[in-house]
Amino acid sequence: MSQKKKLVIKVTAGADAPERCSQAFTVAAVAVASGIEVSLWLTGESAWFALPGRAAEFELPHAAPLPDLLESVLAGGTLTLCTQCAARRGIEQRDTLEGVRIAGAQVFVSEIMADGVQALVY
């Protein structure tokens, strides 16, 4: 019996590098839609997208709307906000969208080192 593969994506960019950010969310949403187990990590400037309404402020021509991609990931995958990134921005668990967890490097490392996992960093 083959083990179901998991995709762990770390997005390090937000509005500061919109194409890289959009690519990460797009790949995550497509993977979720394809039935792949997805864990998307928000780090760096993408940390802001863990907050309600922030994804709606993101604009990139010819790209899927970030709120739609975010909703897809939240509905079918795991969305994690980096502990240190949240702390540096004054973001607390109560501030985040429903379904967002805050976790650190130890959890990330355990996810990416598991069997059958593909990790991508954008």
Side-chain angles (χ1 to χ4, degrees):
M1 188 161 114
S2 69
Q3 180 184 1
K4 187 174 177 183
K5 282 205 67 143
K6 179 176 180 177
L7 181 60
V8 178
I9 300 171
K10 179 184 274 196
V11 55
T12 62
D16 57 326
E19 287 182 305
R20 196 166 72 220
C21 176
S22 180
Q23 288 169 3
F25 276 89
T26 300
V27 168
V30 168
V32 166
S34 302
I36 296 168
E37 185 181 347
V38 173
S39 176
L40 179 62
W41 284 71
L42 304 177
T43 69
E45 285 300 292
S46 73
W48 294 114
F49 300 128
L51 298 176
R54 291 303 285 265
E57 299 170 8
F58 181 88
E59 289 185 17
L60 181 63
H62 309 290
L66 200 64
D68 296 351
L69 299 173
L70 183 61
E71 189 177 311
S72 296
V73 174
L74 276 169
T78 304
L79 190 64
T80 306
L81 172 58
C82 159
T83 303
Q84 289 183 15
C85 301
R88 280 190 283 273
R89 289 161 179 81
I91 301 171
E92 297 184 23
Q93 185 68 61
R94 68 175 181 268
D95 304 323
T96 65
L97 292 163
E98 187 176 339
V100 172
R101 70 174 175 168
I102 296 178
Q106 184 177 353
V107 175
F108 180 76
V109 170
S110 69
E111 279 193 20
I112 64 170
M113 295 308 294
D115 289 338
V117 173
Q118 174 69 52
L120 300 173
V121 178
Y122 285 91

PDB file of all heavy atoms in Angstrom, residues 92-110:
ATOM      1  N   GLU A  92      -0.794  37.763  17.546  1.00  0.00           N
ATOM      2  CA  GLU A  92      -1.086  36.705  18.516  1.00  0.00           C
ATOM      3  C   GLU A  92      -2.158  35.790  17.954  1.00  0.00           C
ATOM      4  O   GLU A  92      -2.867  36.153  17.017  1.00  0.00           O
ATOM      5  CB  GLU A  92      -1.534  37.335  19.839  1.00  0.00           C
ATOM      6  CG  GLU A  92      -0.430  38.175  20.465  1.00  0.00           C
ATOM      7  CD  GLU A  92      -0.820  38.732  21.815  1.00  0.00           C
ATOM      8  OE1 GLU A  92      -1.722  38.165  22.469  1.00  0.00           O
ATOM      9  OE2 GLU A  92      -0.218  39.744  22.218  1.00  0.00           O
ATOM     10  N   GLN A  93      -2.289  34.604  18.533  1.00  0.00           N
ATOM     11  CA  GLN A  93      -3.236  33.615  18.035  1.00  0.00           C
ATOM     12  C   GLN A  93      -4.642  34.194  17.891  1.00  0.00           C
ATOM     13  O   GLN A  93      -5.323  33.954  16.901  1.00  0.00           O
ATOM     14  CB  GLN A  93      -3.262  32.391  18.962  1.00  0.00           C
ATOM     15  CG  GLN A  93      -4.137  31.254  18.449  1.00  0.00           C
ATOM     16  CD  GLN A  93      -3.581  30.586  17.201  1.00  0.00           C
ATOM     17  OE1 GLN A  93      -2.498  30.039  17.213  1.00  0.00           O
ATOM     18  NE2 GLN A  93      -4.330  30.640  16.103  1.00  0.00           N
ATOM     19  N   ARG A  94      -5.061  34.993  18.857  1.00  0.00           N
ATOM     20  CA  ARG A  94      -6.429  35.544  18.823  1.00  0.00           C
ATOM     21  C   ARG A  94      -6.643  36.504  17.645  1.00  0.00           C
ATOM     22  O   ARG A  94      -7.780  36.797  17.284  1.00  0.00           O
ATOM     23  CB  ARG A  94      -6.765  36.237  20.141  1.00  0.00           C
ATOM     24  CG  ARG A  94      -5.973  37.510  20.400  1.00  0.00           C
ATOM     25  CD  ARG A  94      -6.438  38.215  21.679  1.00  0.00           C
ATOM     26  NE  ARG A  94      -5.690  39.436  21.893  1.00  0.00           N
ATOM     27  CZ  ARG A  94      -4.584  39.513  22.620  1.00  0.00           C
ATOM     28  NH1 ARG A  94      -4.098  38.431  23.186  1.00  0.00           N
ATOM     29  NH2 ARG A  94      -3.960  40.664  22.770  1.00  0.00           N
ATOM     30  N   ASP A  95      -5.552  36.994  17.057  1.00  0.00           N
ATOM     31  CA  ASP A  95      -5.639  37.932  15.933  1.00  0.00           C
ATOM     32  C   ASP A  95      -5.838  37.232  14.594  1.00  0.00           C
ATOM     33  O   ASP A  95      -6.251  37.865  13.627  1.00  0.00           O
ATOM     34  CB  ASP A  95      -4.339  38.764  15.824  1.00  0.00           C
ATOM     35  CG  ASP A  95      -4.007  39.511  17.098  1.00  0.00           C
ATOM     36  OD1 ASP A  95      -4.942  39.989  17.764  1.00  0.00           O
ATOM     37  OD2 ASP A  95      -2.802  39.611  17.425  1.00  0.00           O
ATOM     38  N   THR A  96      -5.511  35.944  14.529  1.00  0.00           N
ATOM     39  CA  THR A  96      -5.429  35.255  13.236  1.00  0.00           C
ATOM     40  C   THR A  96      -6.785  34.765  12.729  1.00  0.00           C
ATOM     41  O   THR A  96      -7.754  34.661  13.477  1.00  0.00           O
ATOM     42  CB  THR A  96      -4.478  34.042  13.306  1.00  0.00           C
ATOM     43  OG1 THR A  96      -5.032  33.067  14.192  1.00  0.00           O
ATOM     44  CG2 THR A  96      -3.093  34.450  13.758  1.00  0.00           C
ATOM     45  N   LEU A  97      -6.798  34.431  11.453  1.00  0.00           N
ATOM     46  CA  LEU A  97      -7.960  33.798  10.841  1.00  0.00           C
ATOM     47  C   LEU A  97      -8.250  32.481  11.548  1.00  0.00           C
ATOM     48  O   LEU A  97      -7.321  31.820  12.038  1.00  0.00           O
ATOM     49  CB  LEU A  97      -7.674  33.485   9.361  1.00  0.00           C
ATOM     50  CG  LEU A  97      -7.515  34.663   8.416  1.00  0.00           C
ATOM     51  CD1 LEU A  97      -6.838  34.205   7.139  1.00  0.00           C
ATOM     52  CD2 LEU A  97      -8.876  35.273   8.121  1.00  0.00           C
ATOM     53  N   GLU A  98      -9.506  32.081  11.551  1.00  0.00           N
ATOM     54  CA  GLU A  98      -9.858  30.786  12.118  1.00  0.00           C
ATOM     55  C   GLU A  98      -9.166  29.688  11.308  1.00  0.00           C
ATOM     56  O   GLU A  98      -9.154  29.728  10.082  1.00  0.00           O
ATOM     57  CB  GLU A  98     -11.373  30.586  12.067  1.00  0.00           C
ATOM     58  CG  GLU A  98     -11.828  29.345  12.794  1.00  0.00           C
ATOM     59  CD  GLU A  98     -13.340  29.207  12.824  1.00  0.00           C
ATOM     60  OE1 GLU A  98     -14.042  30.224  12.657  1.00  0.00           O
ATOM     61  OE2 GLU A  98     -13.798  28.067  12.998  1.00  0.00           O
ATOM     62  N   GLY A  99      -8.561  28.745  11.997  1.00  0.00           N
ATOM     63  CA  GLY A  99      -7.890  27.634  11.329  1.00  0.00           C
ATOM     64  C   GLY A  99      -6.388  27.798  11.201  1.00  0.00           C
ATOM     65  O   GLY A  99      -5.692  26.861  10.839  1.00  0.00           O
ATOM     66  N   VAL A 100      -5.865  28.982  11.497  1.00  0.00           N
ATOM     67  CA  VAL A 100      -4.414  29.208  11.449  1.00  0.00           C
ATOM     68  C   VAL A 100      -3.815  28.766  12.772  1.00  0.00           C
ATOM     69  O   VAL A 100      -4.318  29.097  13.835  1.00  0.00           O
ATOM     70  CB  VAL A 100      -4.089  30.699  11.198  1.00  0.00           C
ATOM     71  CG1 VAL A 100      -2.592  30.960  11.338  1.00  0.00           C
ATOM     72  CG2 VAL A 100      -4.585  31.136   9.833  1.00  0.00           C
ATOM     73  N   ARG A 101      -2.731  27.995  12.680  1.00  0.00           N
ATOM     74  CA  ARG A 101      -2.003  27.635  13.901  1.00  0.00           C
ATOM     75  C   ARG A 101      -0.682  28.401  13.904  1.00  0.00           C
ATOM     76  O   ARG A 101      -0.167  28.778  12.842  1.00  0.00           O
ATOM     77  CB  ARG A 101      -1.755  26.127  13.992  1.00  0.00           C
ATOM     78  CG  ARG A 101      -0.746  25.616  12.986  1.00  0.00           C
ATOM     79  CD  ARG A 101      -0.404  24.160  13.176  1.00  0.00           C
ATOM     80  NE  ARG A 101       0.486  23.746  12.095  1.00  0.00           N
ATOM     81  CZ  ARG A 101       1.157  22.614  12.064  1.00  0.00           C
ATOM     82  NH1 ARG A 101       1.026  21.742  13.047  1.00  0.00           N
ATOM     83  NH2 ARG A 101       1.951  22.312  11.054  1.00  0.00           N
ATOM     84  N   ILE A 102      -0.154  28.619  15.083  1.00  0.00           N
ATOM     85  CA  ILE A 102       1.164  29.243  15.210  1.00  0.00           C
ATOM     86  C   ILE A 102       2.107  28.167  15.732  1.00  0.00           C
ATOM     87  O   ILE A 102       1.811  27.509  16.736  1.00  0.00           O
ATOM     88  CB  ILE A 102       1.123  30.461  16.158  1.00  0.00           C
ATOM     89  CG1 ILE A 102       0.228  31.550  15.567  1.00  0.00           C
ATOM     90  CG2 ILE A 102       2.535  31.000  16.395  1.00  0.00           C
ATOM     91  CD1 ILE A 102       0.076  32.795  16.440  1.00  0.00           C
ATOM     92  N   ALA A 103       3.203  27.953  15.018  1.00  0.00           N
ATOM     93  CA  ALA A 103       4.170  26.922  15.404  1.00  0.00           C
ATOM     94  C   ALA A 103       5.555  27.344  14.933  1.00  0.00           C
ATOM     95  O   ALA A 103       5.692  28.202  14.067  1.00  0.00           O
ATOM     96  CB  ALA A 103       3.787  25.563  14.823  1.00  0.00           C
ATOM     97  N   GLY A 104       6.557  26.689  15.500  1.00  0.00           N
ATOM     98  CA  GLY A 104       7.929  27.077  15.215  1.00  0.00           C
ATOM     99  C   GLY A 104       8.728  26.058  14.425  1.00  0.00           C
ATOM    100  O   GLY A 104       8.194  25.085  13.889  1.00  0.00           O
ATOM    101  N   ALA A 105      10.016  26.303  14.404  1.00  0.00           N
ATOM    102  CA  ALA A 105      10.944  25.518  13.585  1.00  0.00           C
ATOM    103  C   ALA A 105      10.924  24.030  13.914  1.00  0.00           C
ATOM    104  O   ALA A 105      11.069  23.193  13.019  1.00  0.00           O
ATOM    105  CB  ALA A 105      12.359  26.070  13.736  1.00  0.00           C
ATOM    106  N   GLN A 106      10.734  23.684  15.172  1.00  0.00           N
ATOM    107  CA  GLN A 106      10.720  22.269  15.554  1.00  0.00           C
ATOM    108  C   GLN A 106       9.597  21.527  14.833  1.00  0.00           C
ATOM    109  O   GLN A 106       9.787  20.413  14.330  1.00  0.00           O
ATOM    110  CB  GLN A 106      10.571  22.139  17.070  1.00  0.00           C
ATOM    111  CG  GLN A 106      10.639  20.714  17.570  1.00  0.00           C
ATOM    112  CD  GLN A 106      10.565  20.640  19.093  1.00  0.00           C
ATOM    113  OE1 GLN A 106      10.586  21.643  19.781  1.00  0.00           O
ATOM    114  NE2 GLN A 106      10.478  19.428  19.599  1.00  0.00           N
ATOM    115  N   VAL A 107       8.418  22.143  14.755  1.00  0.00           N
ATOM    116  CA  VAL A 107       7.277  21.534  14.069  1.00  0.00           C
ATOM    117  C   VAL A 107       7.549  21.473  12.568  1.00  0.00           C
ATOM    118  O   VAL A 107       7.269  20.462  11.913  1.00  0.00           O
ATOM    119  CB  VAL A 107       5.973  22.301  14.372  1.00  0.00           C
ATOM    120  CG1 VAL A 107       4.802  21.743  13.569  1.00  0.00           C
ATOM    121  CG2 VAL A 107       5.658  22.253  15.863  1.00  0.00           C
ATOM    122  N   PHE A 108       8.118  22.548  12.011  1.00  0.00           N
ATOM    123  CA  PHE A 108       8.439  22.565  10.584  1.00  0.00           C
ATOM    124  C   PHE A 108       9.404  21.438  10.236  1.00  0.00           C
ATOM    125  O   PHE A 108       9.186  20.687   9.283  1.00  0.00           O
ATOM    126  CB  PHE A 108       9.033  23.927  10.188  1.00  0.00           C
ATOM    127  CG  PHE A 108       9.390  24.019   8.732  1.00  0.00           C
ATOM    128  CD1 PHE A 108       8.410  24.192   7.768  1.00  0.00           C
ATOM    129  CD2 PHE A 108      10.714  23.917   8.324  1.00  0.00           C
ATOM    130  CE1 PHE A 108       8.741  24.265   6.419  1.00  0.00           C
ATOM    131  CE2 PHE A 108      11.050  23.995   6.983  1.00  0.00           C
ATOM    132  CZ  PHE A 108      10.062  24.168   6.027  1.00  0.00           C
ATOM    133  N   VAL A 109      10.462  21.316  11.019  1.00  0.00           N
ATOM    134  CA  VAL A 109      11.465  20.274  10.762  1.00  0.00           C
ATOM    135  C   VAL A 109      10.835  18.890  10.858  1.00  0.00           C
ATOM    136  O   VAL A 109      11.079  18.019  10.015  1.00  0.00           O
ATOM    137  CB  VAL A 109      12.679  20.410  11.713  1.00  0.00           C
ATOM    138  CG1 VAL A 109      13.593  19.196  11.626  1.00  0.00           C
ATOM    139  CG2 VAL A 109      13.460  21.673  11.381  1.00  0.00           C
ATOM    140  N   SER A 110       9.989  18.662  11.852  1.00  0.00           N
ATOM    141  CA  SER A 110       9.366  17.342  11.976  1.00  0.00           C
ATOM    142  C   SER A 110       8.454  17.066  10.782  1.00  0.00           C
ATOM    143  O   SER A 110       8.380  15.925  10.315  1.00  0.00           O
ATOM    144  CB  SER A 110       8.602  17.203  13.297  1.00  0.00           C
ATOM    145  OG  SER A 110       7.460  18.015  13.317  1.00  0.00           O
TER     146      SER A 110
END
